[in-house]
Amino acid sequence: KKLYGAEPQAAPLWLTPPGRELTHAAALFGLHYEAPTSVEAIANATARALRQNAPTLLHLRVGPNSAAELRERVLARLAEDQG
């Protein structure tokens, strides 16, 4: 179930518009910014962020329904394992 499924017109409030970059927003607040695009890059960016003595904005792009789809796969697998 989508977080915004009950009110589709609310989707723009929950989803980052495609093509938007957060570099300027990070700069406005003096934040370090990274937008890793792979699992390895996310791990490296997270490690760098934790080593710094300053806040970091990690912009992780995922599909608009990826959390719901993952949840469904996990629940289906659990049902199979108990079945």
Side-chain angles (χ1 to χ4, degrees):
K1 191 184 251 189
K2 296 177 187 174
L3 178 62
Y4 50 85
E7 298 181 43
Q9 68 275 16
L13 301 174
W14 292 99
L15 303 175
T16 303
R20 296 285 191 237
E21 293 297 327
L22 299 178
T23 52
H24 298 295
L28 284 172
F29 293 96
L31 305 175
H32 179 72
Y33 172 86
E34 291 198 48
T37 58
S38 70
V39 173
E40 181 180 359
I42 291 168
N44 292 335
T46 301
R48 279 190 298 277
L50 292 172
R51 285 192 304 268
Q52 294 180 4
N53 190 22
T56 299
L57 173 60
L58 295 179
H59 187 178
L60 308 179
R61 293 182 174 104
V62 297
N65 299 313
S66 60
E69 292 166 0
L70 177 60
R71 180 178 179 274
E72 291 302 317
R73 288 197 314 266
V74 167
L75 291 175
R77 181 64 186 265
L78 289 171
E80 287 175 12
D81 289 347
Q82 292 182 5

